[in-house]
Structure formats: C-alpha cells, structure tokens
Amino acid sequence: MRAIPLKSFASLAALGLLVTGCGQGLLGGDGDDKAAKTDAPIVLGMLIPQSGSEAAIGPYMSNAAQLALDEINAKGGVLGRKLELKTADDACDAQSAAAAANKLVTEGVDISVGGYCSGATLPTLPIFGKADIPMIIPAANSQELVDQKLKHVFLINGTGSQQAAAAEKWIAKQGAKSVVLMHDNTSYSKDIALRTKALLDAPGGAEAVLVETVTPKESDYSANITNVLAKKPDSVYWTGYFQEGGLIARQLRQAGYKGSFMVGDGSVSPKLIEIAGAEAAEGIYATMTQTPDTLEGAEGWISAYKKKYNADPGPYSNQAYDAVRLAAEAVTKAGGTDGAKVIAALEAVDGFPMFSGPLKFTPEHTLMSGGFQVLVVKGDKFALQDSLK
Amino acid sequence: MTQLVWNGLFVGSFYALVALGYSMVYGIIKLLNFAHGDLYMLGAFVGFAVLGAVGGVSSSMALPLLLVVLLATMVLTGLAGVALERIAYRPLRRAPRLSLLITAVGASFALEYGMRAAAGADPRVYPVRLGGTSVEVLGARLTLQQLVLVGVAVVLMFGLNLLITRTREGRAMRAIALDPRTSSLMGIDVNAVISRTFFLGSALAGAAGVMAGAYYGKIDFLMGFLIGLKAFTAAVIGGIGNIPGTMLGGLLLGLLESFGTYWLGGEWRDVFAFGVLILFLTVRPTGLLGERVTERV
C-alpha cells in the first residue's frame, strides 16, 4: 500500500474493481455462517459533531474518512472484505456522545475511528471498551483520555501535554516575559492551558501572570479582555476553539493590545481569520499538528478531496483519513477484527506512513513524536512559522 | 473602573433590546417566548442576507448602509415574529400555560436547526464590519461605532416607550394585558394587537441581531440561545412585563456581568448572571420596578 495515495480513482474504475473483488462469494453458500462472517463488511464507527457548536468540523472528518474508505475498497478492501463507515453525532456533548456510542455498538461496529471533542469522547471510552472495540482517536487529544490508561484507546493526534510543551517552547523563543493563558473551561482547552502554565511556572524564562476563563458561545469578551490587559502581558495564549478565538483576537486588538497572540489547535481554521478580520488576524501564532496546508506532498490528496466533495479539506481531515488507513492496516496485520489482536497489531505498528510522519505509539498509546509546530497567520491562511524541531 | 462601566452598559444595551420583546409578549399574553433569542439570531442572518443582496459597498459607507439594512431587517424579523405567533402560539391561546411554554421551546429548536439547514453549521462573518479605533473617554476605551450602536438602541427603546404610553395602539396593548376578554368586547381586535406586539418585539430583537453581527462580526445558528436566557434574566431583574423596568434590567445585568468578571474571574460570569436570576425569582419575582398591576404591558 502506498503511503499517501496521490490519485483518487474515478468511481467507474472503483465499480469495476468492486465487481472483480468478490471472489470468495463463489465458495461459501448463503447458509454458511463462517463464509457470511468473512464476507461481511468491516464496519468502522465514527463519532463526530454533526450538530451543536462544533457541527462545522464533522463533515471535514467524515468526508476524509469516506475518501480513505473508497480508496481502500477500490483496491479490494481488507482481507477480501469491504470497509463500511457508520457515523453518529456526538454534538460535542458528553451525554449525546454516550448515547451515540451505544448506538454504534448495537450497529455492530468493529473499530472506532472517531472522536473530536475530548469532553464528549471521554465517556465513550468505556462503552467501546466493554464491547471490545478498539479506538483510534483522530482528533480528541486531552491528556484526560490518556490518563484513563485504557488498552483499547489509541490517540493519533498530539496530546495536550505535547501541545503545551510546544507552546512553552515558542513563548520562550519569542522572549516573552509575562504570559496570559485563556481557556473556555472545556476539558480539552483547560488541560492545555494548565499544562502550559505548569511549564511556565518553572523558574526562569516567562511567567504565567493570569489564567483567564471565558464562557464559550458569547459574543462580547470585553470583560475578560479588561482583566487580561490589566496584567500588561507580552503574550496571550488561547487554547479553546476558533469561534471564540476569532472574537477574542479581534477584541484584544481593538482594545489596543500590541503583544503576541497565540492559539491552540482547536482554533486553527480559516474561519478564525475571517472572524477576527484580516487586520487583527495577521501575525497570530498557532500550535498545531500538520495540516493539509503545511504538508509537503499533500497536493494530490487535497485535489482528490476537492474532486470528491467540491470543497477544501479542513482541520482534522488528514487525521480522520489516516485513522481509517491505520484501522485497515491494523485489521490486515491482525488477520481479522478481534479486539485483542487489533490492539496488539496497533501496538506493534512501527513506521506506518501518516501525514504526521512515520507512526509509532508510546506505551501510553500516544504518538512517539507529537509533531507540533508553530504556524502564523499570513494574509488569509496559516503558514509554517517554526517546526520546533 | 469606567472601563468596566462602559463594557457593562454596551453589553447591557443589547440585553435590554432583546429583553423588551420578552417583556412585551409576557405582558400581553403571559407567555415566556423562549424562541425570542432565536429571533435575534434570525435578525442577524436576515441582516447578513440583506447586506449580501445590497453588496459591494465601500466601508466608508458602512454606517449609513448598516442603518438601511437595520430597518429592512427589523421589518423582516418583525414579520417572522408575527408568523411565529400565528403558527405556533395562536392555536394554543386557550391551552394550558405549560403547553405554550413547551411549544415555545420547540419553536426555538425549529428556528435554530432550520437556520442550520438553510445556512449551514459554519459560523458566518459579516462582510461589513464596524471596526474603528478606540478613543479614551474618562479612562475608558470606546469607539465611535459603539456609541452609535448604543445610541440606536436608546432611540429604539424610547420610541417603543412612547408608542406604548402615548398612542392608541399602545393603549390597546395595555388594555389587553389587563383583560383580553373585556378588551374584545370594547371593540379591540385582540388578535391584531397581539400580532403587532410580536412584530414590535421581534423587530427589536432583529435590530439587536444586526447590530451584534455588524459589531462582533460572527453569527451562527446557536447565537440566540445564551442571549435569550440573558434577556429573560434582564427582564426578570427589572420586572417582566414592565417596559422601563426591562430596559433598566438589561443595563444592570450588563454591569453585573462586567463587574462580576472583574471581581470573581471569567468562569463566574454566567454563574453570577443566573445566580442573580434565581435570587430575584425567589426574593422579588416582580423585579426591581415590579409589574404595575394597574397598567402593565
């Protein structure tokens, strides 16, 4: 299998392969259970936000997952079986997510490849665990997920602690003296902010002078910004999502803030720039894993995505795509969808090529190298500022 | 200090504008219209669409253009409010109060997710933004645009107050609030007046929506939820059903949030706001100015 398929097959060609790809069907009769089992598609489940505040992200992820699926199926699937994708809406909300996870379990999902909001993903871990379903989590990356120490959970996005380390590194590089951390009280955002603070609290270098919490979904953050400006910081780090991030960036600049403004990976979206307005957005830094824009050699993948969906891939498209490819790889290596075998196969993966680089898991089931880099807003997009290597 | 006051007044004037619709509707048919915050959202989107239709105007013309868009949006959102009352509330006029409340919550979801289906889940950004650099006044940073927005809000509120206290239409509203049956016996077309009340309340919410869109820039289909609750809180603080009280409640809530954030930190902002709501509901449910039983709207 090639690292990054640079060609998307026309659907006609895919159909042709579909017809030839079912050689096993000739052997097993309909009543034969075993044959039915080996002919049944391998079902991948994907919990993503399709409604609620983060609804915009869902399609980026499910589209990319479907793209990977089509490419794999066009090549004859996995172990001669087709892959099938079932998505469910977690609404970025813990209760909805638990219900949706149960729904996927009853629908007979073999492997989970979803999870965007950490707060919503957390309660789904035991649900999939009980059902013996390995989880490859493409985006959710709160340290809380790792701290559960569950065998069946694998994170292929850099974690909160890796992101905090990258943020601290960049703050030090800029020579900032006083830093304000802003988060929105969600598990993901608070985690990064507090970890960054812990790193900054070490003697020497910059000092975290304030951790300011904002309420998500508001429009006016002037009260928070008054608090921030009272501390006269050189650098502000926002670890929440892009909707508020754009507003905060704009309102900070309007209030006369001249220092550096940095955001976390939940805010890396063209919408952030649009919401902040070109003037306020220019020069915003971001800690982020690799995105389609900053990847070298992803042009073919981007055009394949565009061709299929008539839209640009967005944040976490590449991780969702990789999650499906990794699931297929693990099932191939495990020789089936047995949970324990797939987990063992995932643990043994070494050097599987992904957008974020060759994959190897740590004993904690996180990426060996977090792969965080610093981007900067130039004009209407995020460009690479520093790879922090 | 003055900065905190200004922040509070600015946010509060938005709360007050949205809260007025809550108050008027409650005053006249005793319904807490929980879809009211979503009319604010609708206004923001209608304004966005109207701006798109006008299109391609230089930013030097931003203010006058936005005023025109504001008026157009107020009319359209007002009509949407009338339609909402006609479809969702009028058939239930004689039903138990709880059915109306549940319907209002349903209407709220219908508006939110209807808008999501129509405009997508992604937040939209206004093409014309009120930016502006800030100037120092008495130690507070404010922009000309902020002043204009507060000015517009004040003008709208005073206009509404005049309408209710000085016109026949206003008198009819006050009469229905007092006793709908007798009013209709006296020849008042109760349904028409209720429709017009919805029109006014929704138009004000729509105006607030456009102003928020133009000033903050970002609009999305869930933007009305929180401000709806805040506006309800503002109405309760001032006295629900009481127009001057509601305006006062909006400004007070803005100030409370601004100072609460400063004293207790950002994570307490909403705890503070809704804590005050609970306090008022338990200690003084009629609000600061109270519902004047003799002539309430």
Side-chain angles (χ1 to χ4, degrees):
Chain A
M1 179 162 181
R2 261 182 307 170
I4 298 167
L6 297 178
K7 214 168 84 198
S8 98
F9 289 82
S11 47
L12 262 180
L15 270 177
L17 281 162
L18 273 176
V19 176
T20 53
C22 48
Q24 290 185 324
L26 298 169
L27 298 169
D30 284 341
D32 193 336
D33 263 1
K34 245 189 161 160
K37 224 182 163 140
T38 48
D39 274 355
I42 295 167
V43 186
L44 302 181
M46 193 172 207
L47 284 178
I48 38 172
Q50 292 167 321
S51 67
S53 59
E54 302 305 311
I57 293 284
Y60 290 140
M61 293 176 70
S62 54
N63 286 351
Q66 191 61 49
L67 185 68
L69 214 78
D70 292 350
E71 284 169 3
I72 292 164
N73 282 344
K75 289 188 182 143
V78 175
L79 307 172
R81 294 162 66 181
K82 290 276 168 257
L83 288 180
E84 191 187 322
L85 182 70
K86 284 193 195 295
T87 58
D89 181 18
D90 70 10
C92 195
D93 163 76
Q95 281 170 326
S96 313
N102 281 317
K103 179 173 159 259
L104 285 181
V105 169
T106 51
E107 284 177 350
V109 163
D110 296 308
I111 298 183
S112 157
V113 291
Y116 170 74
C117 293
S118 298
T121 307
L122 198 56
T124 68
L125 305 186
I127 297 171
F128 287 122
K130 271 203 192 79
D132 193 30
I133 295 170
M135 297 176 75
I136 298 170
I137 300 179
N141 59 352
S142 168
Q143 193 66 31
E144 279 189 65
L145 302 168
V146 183
D147 290 345
Q148 307 293 313
K149 298 195 170 50
L150 293 168
K151 258 186 78 67
H152 70 286
V153 178
F154 293 81
L155 276 67
I156 61 165
N157 193 6
T159 58
S161 52
Q162 287 165 330
Q163 177 149 221
E168 192 268 338
K169 229 180 191 171
W170 179 244
I171 288 166
K173 250 190 179 175
Q174 285 184 287
K177 286 279 166 285
S178 58
V179 183
V180 169
L181 302 161
M182 297 178 81
H183 67 85
D184 65 8
N185 235 346
T186 58
S187 97
Y188 148 83
S189 167
K190 193 173 180 172
D191 176 60
I192 299 169
L194 295 184
R195 278 168 199 283
T196 309
K197 181 180 188 305
L199 292 172
L200 291 170
D201 283 346
E207 186 194 352
V209 287
L210 174 71
V211 178
E212 179 74 14
T213 310
V214 309
T215 315
K217 300 183 185 50
E218 295 268 12
S219 306
D220 194 294
Y221 290 109
S222 54
N224 304 96
I225 280 160
T226 303
N227 284 356
V228 171
L229 292 184
K231 298 281 183 196
K232 301 198 168 42
D234 316 320
S235 175
V236 175
Y237 184 32
W238 160 251
T239 58
Y241 295 104
F242 66 89
Q243 287 94 325
E244 293 83 23
L247 292 170
I248 289 169
R250 182 180 178 84
Q251 290 171 29
L252 264 173
R253 293 290 182 227
Q254 269 186 338
Y257 174 68
K258 298 274 187 287
S260 116
F261 185 69
M262 178 160 74
V263 297
D265 60 352
S267 282
V268 176
S269 157
K271 278 280 173 194
L272 173 96
I273 301 168
E274 213 183 316
I275 292 167
E279 208 178 318
E282 190 68 23
I284 291 180
Y285 297 115
T287 45
M288 181 64 184
T289 46
Q290 299 206 295
T291 65
D293 292 346
T294 60
L295 287 168
E296 296 198 0
E299 295 83 4
W301 180 79
I302 294 173
S303 65
Y305 184 103
K306 263 189 164 153
K307 189 166 157 191
K308 187 163 164 66
Y309 296 108
N310 209 353
D312 283 320
Y316 302 103
S317 289
N318 45 328
Q319 277 95 337
Y321 177 84
D322 276 341
V324 171
R325 287 180 48 243
L326 179 61
E329 167 81 6
V331 172
T332 309
K333 286 270 188 302
T337 54
D338 175 67
K341 283 185 185 149
V342 172
I343 291 169
L346 283 168
E347 283 173 338
V349 165
D350 189 357
F352 179 72
M354 298 207 314
F355 280 122
S356 57
L359 173 75
K360 185 164 174 46
F361 284 113
T362 62
E364 293 186 310
H365 293 181
T366 57
L367 294 184
M368 199 59 107
S369 56
F372 275 98
Q373 43 190 4
V374 175
L375 309 180
V376 64
V377 174
K378 279 206 176 105
D380 60 352
K381 51 159 47 119
F382 285 89
L384 186 63
Q385 166 79 25
D386 189 332
S387 60
L388 296 181
K389 290 279 185 288
Chain B
M1 181 69 194
T2 41
Q3 182 66 52
L4 295 179
V5 173
W6 174 246
N7 288 351
L9 288 178
F10 183 69
V11 179
S13 56
F14 279 95
Y15 290 163
L17 263 188
V18 182
L20 282 170
Y22 253 114
S23 239
M24 288 164 69
V25 167
Y26 180 82
I28 201 160
I29 55 171
K30 297 287 170 288
L31 160 74
L32 287 174
N33 180 10
F34 276 114
H36 190 68
D38 299 301
L39 287 166
Y40 158 92
M41 177 273 295
L42 189 72
F45 274 92
V46 169
F48 181 81
V50 173
L51 262 178
V54 178
V57 183
S58 71
S59 56
S60 61
M61 288 291 290
L63 261 181
L65 170 79
L66 280 170
L67 285 176
V68 173
V69 172
L70 181 79
L71 288 173
T73 306
M74 283 175 73
V75 172
L76 290 168
T77 318
L79 291 174
V82 171
L84 174 71
E85 190 267 339
R86 185 54 74 66
I87 296 162
Y89 302 147
R90 186 170 300 178
L92 293 169
R93 187 83 47 80
R94 293 184 198 290
R97 198 86 68 82
L98 190 62
S99 320
L100 262 178
L101 202 65
I102 293 166
T103 308
V105 175
S108 162
F109 282 128
L111 281 169
E112 283 169 12
Y113 288 90
M115 185 53 79
R116 189 189 153 205
D122 249 350
R124 299 297 187 91
V125 179
Y126 262 55
V128 179
R129 313 273 292 262
L130 295 172
T133 42
S134 48
V135 288
E136 290 260 334
V137 177
L138 302 173
R141 291 176 321 270
L142 47 93
T143 62
L144 174 67
Q145 282 80 359
Q146 280 184 313
L147 281 175
V148 170
L149 290 182
V150 172
V152 170
V154 169
V155 166
L156 288 173
M157 290 190 240
F158 272 91
L160 177 77
N161 204 25
L162 279 178
L163 186 120
I164 285 170
T165 51
R166 297 288 165 84
T167 63
R168 279 189 56 149
E169 179 66 24
R171 202 176 328 144
M173 283 182 193
R174 297 201 307 269
I176 291 171
L178 220 52
D179 186 346
R181 183 166 299 173
T182 313
S183 305
S184 77
L185 291 174
M186 293 291 156
I188 298 175
D189 184 347
V190 173
N191 279 342
V193 174
I194 289 175
S195 275
R196 285 198 282 269
T197 308
F198 265 86
F199 179 87
L200 283 173
S202 310
L204 290 180
V210 174
M211 294 191 331
Y215 181 73
Y216 297 115
K218 178 190 75 120
I219 60 173
D220 64 76
F221 70 102
L222 289 174
M223 69 190 281
F225 175 73
L226 205 52
I227 201 163
L229 289 179
K230 293 272 172 79
F232 171 64
T233 308
V236 169
I237 290 175
I240 194 158
N242 176 325
I243 298 299
T246 302
M247 295 181 203
L248 179 72
L251 295 179
L252 269 180
L253 182 64
L255 288 170
L256 278 174
E257 285 193 355
S258 167
F259 279 87
T261 304
Y262 179 69
W263 288 326
L264 304 172
E267 63 269 50
W268 293 97
R269 172 174 166 177
D270 284 6
V271 178
F272 204 63
F274 295 127
V276 169
L277 170 68
I278 293 167
L279 194 74
F280 266 92
L281 286 175
T282 48
V283 178
R284 198 182 160 89
T286 52
L288 285 176
L289 299 194
E291 204 183 343
R292 282 164 308 172
V293 181
T294 45
E295 50 165 51
R296 57 180 182 210
V297 160

